[in-house]
Amino acid sequence: MKPKIVVIDSGLGGLTIFKQLIAQTSNIHFVADNKHFPYGTKKTSELVNIIDRLIHYFLNNQYDKVVLACNTASLIYDKYLRYKYKNEVITIIDSTIAEIENIYNLSHVGIIATNKVIESNIYQDYIKRKYQIRTTTIACSELVNLCENYDKLKINAFIKQHFSIFKENKIDALILACTHFNIIEKEIDRFFKHEVPLICSGYGLSKQLKLSYLCFMCGRNQIFLTNNHKNYVEKIRYLFPEFKNIKIKSLNI
Ligand code: DGL
């Protein structure tokens, strides 16, 4: 039987990873759990329930792998749910951090993520332990909301107002530790005048998956929304014109 993969995020951010995966193969389904957006400001207990329910649902509905294309969901899974499942669930934090090995002479890295991810210290602790690299962080759930609404003016104003600390602290690279920020990679890159390498979350994972089993797959790609409405579909069509032939459906779970 062919493996079927579901890629999950709370909203639009995970589509950037979906895009990379479907460039390599097909039979991948994406779920935007936009009914529960945003994840990054919710209580831990609530997130554990939401993510556990999603994983349970898909593994019991003929999916072989669940990819959590979301740092907040990956954090919750790694801390509270990993013991329940085996290798069927793939998270993105480790593979995102591993990308810093591709950057030469790194001594100070900036990290932007949801409030939940920054408060957990998961990125900061892991990086300090493994690489002895300094970190400067900003909790950016407000920016996540702007990305989900794709409010370009406010996005640029937020970057201008809050990211100067990275310039002052002279970071050598910036980790976009929330998949929503992959959508605004160009805006962030412009702010740093293309001088600071950006590490997008989940892109390391796409490379890894390519090497393993994706090449055996065939079938249709699809997008599901847990809260399906016209404006949201239009936003996806606008931001990701390459998905024009992919069906967008409702998922009531
Ligand atoms: N895209 C998700 C992440 O990578 C979070 C967005 C949210 O707060 O829902 O963390």
Side-chain angles (χ1 to χ4, degrees):
M1 206 171 89
K2 296 175 189 87
K4 198 155 84 174
I5 292 185
V6 61
V7 179
I8 303 176
D9 186 28
S10 60
L12 300 173
L15 283 167
T16 58
I17 297 171
F18 176 68
K19 180 172 150 182
Q20 296 214 329
L21 295 177
I22 64 172
Q24 302 166 24
T25 185
S26 52
N27 204 21
I28 304 216
H29 294 178
F30 177 81
V31 174
D33 184 22
N34 55 336
K35 185 162 77 181
H36 295 113
F37 177 87
Y39 282 176
T41 48
K42 285 195 167 46
K43 280 196 188 135
T44 299
S45 55
E46 195 181 345
L47 285 173
V48 171
N49 283 336
I50 292 170
I51 291 150
D52 194 16
R53 231 178 108 237
L54 285 170
I55 295 172
H56 186 266
Y57 174 86
F58 290 110
L59 293 182
N60 284 287
N61 278 283
Q62 296 174 340
Y63 287 83
D64 296 292
K65 295 275 176 200
V66 173
V67 176
L68 296 176
C70 169
N71 291 268
T72 313
S74 295
L75 160 74
I76 295 296
Y77 177 81
D78 285 341
K79 269 182 109 171
Y80 304 101
L81 292 166
R82 187 172 282 284
Y83 76 96
K84 276 184 84 169
Y85 300 95
K86 296 199 186 94
N87 293 327
E88 305 104 331
V89 181
I90 300 168
T91 56
I92 58 169
I93 295 179
D94 292 6
S95 54
T96 300
I97 294 175
E99 290 284 288
I100 66 181
E101 289 172 21
N102 299 330
I103 298 171
Y104 180 66
N105 236 347
L106 194 59
S107 67
H108 189 175
V109 72
I111 304 166
I112 49 171
T114 62
N115 296 6
K116 197 92 200 158
V117 168
I118 294 297
E119 283 157 17
S120 75
N121 280 317
I122 190 163
Y123 269 89
Q124 300 91 308
D125 289 347
Y126 189 122
I127 290 170
K128 276 177 199 148
R129 215 171 37 241
K130 195 162 178 209
Y131 301 104
Q132 283 142 10
I133 288 172
R134 276 205 303 144
T135 57
T136 294
T137 63
I138 305 182
C140 285
S141 276
E142 197 184 324
L143 184 59
V144 176
N145 287 333
L146 300 178
C147 294
E148 183 74 2
N149 296 323
Y150 200 61
D151 189 332
K152 236 179 155 183
L153 277 179
K154 287 190 182 160
I155 287 167
N156 282 319
F158 184 99
I159 293 172
K160 216 168 146 199
Q161 187 186 345
H162 297 273
F163 286 13
S164 320
I165 185 168
F166 291 133
K167 283 187 178 167
E168 286 154 24
N169 286 0
K170 298 193 172 37
I171 57 165
D172 311 306
L174 179 67
I175 303 180
L176 314 188
C178 168
T179 52
H180 276 71
F181 304 149
N182 296 351
I183 298 171
I184 55 163
E185 183 188 0
K186 278 196 188 119
E187 285 80 357
I188 299 173
D189 195 33
R190 211 174 300 126
F191 172 79
F192 288 108
K193 301 197 168 68
H194 317 287
E195 282 164 1
V196 173
L198 303 179
I199 298 170
C200 290
S201 48
Y203 290 4
L205 177 83
S206 315
K207 289 182 212 157
Q208 236 173 274
L209 285 180
K210 184 183 181 180
L211 295 175
S212 49
Y213 53 87
L214 285 182
C215 42
F216 299 110
M217 294 167 59
C218 60
R220 268 214 189 119
N221 301 315
Q222 276 183 43
I223 295 173
F224 294 94
L225 308 175
T226 57
N227 180 15
N228 193 355
H229 53 88
K230 201 170 148 252
N231 291 353
Y232 206 87
V233 173
E234 278 169 9
K235 208 162 32 184
I236 293 176
R237 298 286 182 221
Y238 172 74
L239 284 172
F240 299 94
E242 55 276 76
F243 297 164
K244 67 175 184 298
N245 295 325
I246 298 179
K247 281 201 175 127
I248 302 179
K249 296 180 175 174
S250 302
L251 184 71
N252 294 314
I253 50 168

